[in-house]
Amino acid sequence: IRDRYQRRVHGATMPDITFECSGAASSISNALTCTESGGVVVLIGMGPSSVNVPLMNAAMREVDIRGILRYRNCYPTALEAIASGLIDPKKIITHTLPFTAEALVPGFTTAWRGRDPEGKPAIKVMFLLD
């Protein structure tokens, strides 16, 4: 009820389809929780074989969960969506670091933990190869 109230008051909308690409349990949980009732969560990311997620929440809201073997037959559609402007892949890059010895360990640690040292969530960590 609180989430529906916040959506009405603040004008936020929930996606009908969510593509989870990391495989991280926290990201799968967020996808299941944040997808509109009656929507679909597509699991693309390859994570551990078992994860603890709010399955009953998704079931009660009739959120469908679909798995897909990532990459198979996806590149042409993804490239078309990016080329047409339908998807802006830069929006998922949360951290950009220089490709230096000093930045490698912190960058990979941020990607592995899913958060940087300040607590900001990490979706995609990129190294600049200048």
Side-chain angles (χ1 to χ4, degrees):
I1 294 174
R2 179 188 61 164
D3 290 340
R4 289 178 189 251
Y5 169 77
Q6 287 177 340
R7 280 185 280 144
R8 281 194 206 113
V9 171
H10 300 294
T13 58
M14 297 169 77
D16 294 327
I17 301 173
T18 302
F19 296 92
E20 196 296 307
C21 301
S22 72
S26 59
S27 183
I28 295 169
S29 293
N30 285 338
L32 293 172
T33 303
C34 295
T35 300
E36 185 65 62
S37 294
V40 177
V41 172
V42 181
L43 301 178
I44 300 169
M46 304 301 281
S49 60
S50 295
V51 293
N52 184 11
V53 296
L55 191 57
M56 291 312 298
N57 175 289
M60 295 298 294
R61 296 184 308 104
E62 298 181 335
V63 173
D64 290 341
I65 302 169
R66 297 184 188 163
I68 183 171
L69 179 58
R70 63 181 172 174
Y71 308 131
R72 180 160 189 207
N73 303 320
C74 294
Y75 279 119
T77 304
L79 292 175
E80 184 179 319
I82 291 168
S84 71
L86 182 64
I87 296 174
D88 181 4
K90 292 179 182 177
K91 290 184 178 181
I92 66 167
I93 299 171
T94 56
H95 296 75
T96 304
L97 302 166
F99 188 63
T100 63
E102 298 81 22
L104 285 177
V105 171
F108 279 107
T109 301
T110 295
W112 177 69
R113 290 188 176 151
R115 294 193 176 279
D116 65 18
E118 290 78 37
K120 178 184 174 188
I123 297 173
K124 184 72 171 177
V125 179
M126 299 290 294
F127 290 99
L128 297 175
L129 303 176
D130 292 330

